[in-house]
Amino acid sequence: MTDNKTLKKGRLGTPALVFMIIAASAPLTVLAGGAPTTFAVSGLLGLPVGYLVLGAALIIFAVGYCAMSSRVHNAGAFYAYISEGLGPRHGIAAALLALVVYNMLQVGLYGLFGFSLSAALATWTGLSVPWWVAGAAGWIIVALMGVSNVDLSARVLGVLVSLEFLVVLVVMGFALLNSSEGISADSVLPEQFLTPGVGVLLAFSIAAFMGFESGAIYSEESKDPSRTVPRATYIAVSIIALFYALSTWALTMGVGPSSVVDESREYGPDLVFVWLADFSPLLSDVVHLLFVTSILAALVAFHNAAARYFFALGRSGVLPRRLGTPGQNGAPVAGSVTQSAIGVIVVVIFALAGRGSELGELFPVITLFTWFSTAAAFGLVFLLAVTSCAVLVWFRRDHHGFSTFTRVIAPFVSAVSMLIVAILILVNFDIMIGEESPRAMVFIMPGIIIGAGVIGALWSLRFPNETVDMDALPHLPETRSEPRETTTAAP
């Protein structure tokens, strides 16, 4: 049982939280889907370096973020931190933006999942299943898991992520043992990264890390959150960056540095499966199956994140309070059901819109998945920049015993770097959504993100600062390494 304010406490330890974070980043989806797309669009081999650079930038972001998370525990992490740092109204605007971002990330994945499962069934059984029917199967699984205890999601995601890592390690070993041009450092040379096309490369690469910040979302459900959340975040980001860099380098060696860009442009997300099939059709089928389950794991992870944002906003009175009442099992049931309802509505709209489309079977990938995920990437990076600013302001009021690097330098560097990446995404948005997409989408999709922030700011005017339920932003008793001369400003 749980009280009427908080989610079920103490369910997640560090390993479970690491799996939840990594599941959202979907390692196999990035290798099989993201890497070939980035190679094809950027024309550069320096993707492994891109992952390491972005990983380092996100570690710097995590310094201030995790320090603040050790004091502020809330299921709506961005909402809580920006409210504490910049004020409740800014927090409300950011929270509604974050809610849109997480829902777009989650719902957009139904397009990729439906297409991938449909293609896999056609390959294995000869059955022709519409993408939206395959997507509906995933929706049912996600909806059921969303209203269950979070430890069920953690166990399922733990198994799926473990299998993803295992199969990617096998693919890496296979690639290095069968390297078509020998082992080389071609993909990590400076000239393959420090070129004019690096903006496109970084804009695409950041999508591989989406979900890394979600550790703080589960802080209320974690064991000893002041330690568990920071530890899990650092571990997850480090693993993601290193694993993506190594696996992408190995894929480059397997396909061949001189041909990986051209073959990525020819085969797209099927590159890994086509390449493996030449050596082992069985291994290709296994990887294809786990590619589908990898997308399913990401669907569950982002569904959980969106449901907890609904919960946090309902609990604080920004959205209907019914959303902020946990179920008997301690899960954010109302938020989960709401997110599932949004998913089915959007999928139905795109299923109807895609009938007879000249894009054929690729319709859900080029539209639902690409449009939504690219716009959400812009929104998420912008939120990271704003959160870094909030961390700076929060620590100016009270150092909480942390060093100057943690309080000032890291958040400032993070804010600047995240803003640069957000600008890169906007500048290259037309390239990222592809020439098959209508020109209007270049303005409509980022407009949805910007519009969500504007609407959130206007919505916040309904709530005088003193009426926002800041009890929804619980604090941990202060722990200090040195005496303080100032007191924390009242939220």
Side-chain angles (χ1 to χ4, degrees), residues 12 40 45 120 125 192 199 201 214 241 262 264 272 298 300 324 339 341 356 427-428:
L12 301 175
L45 297 180
T125 67
Q192 289 297 335
L201 189 151
S214 61
D262 290 336
S264 292
V272 173
V300 173
Q339 203 287 319
V427 170
N428 296 287

Side-chain angles (χ1 to χ4, degrees), residues 64-65 67-68 72 80-88 90-91 384-400 402-415 486-491:
Y65 180 73
M68 193 169 179
V72 180
Y81 300 160
I82 294 173
S83 291
E84 290 280 2
L86 304 180
H90 293 83
L384 296 180
V386 175
T387 302
S388 295
C389 294
V391 172
L392 268 172
V393 175
W394 191 71
F395 275 121
R396 281 189 63 186
R397 294 199 294 262
D398 187 334
H399 59 62
H400 294 275
F402 289 99
S403 67
T404 301
F405 177 78
T406 298
R407 295 182 288 109
V408 180
I409 298 175
F412 176 78
V413 172
S414 174
T486 60
T487 57
T488 305

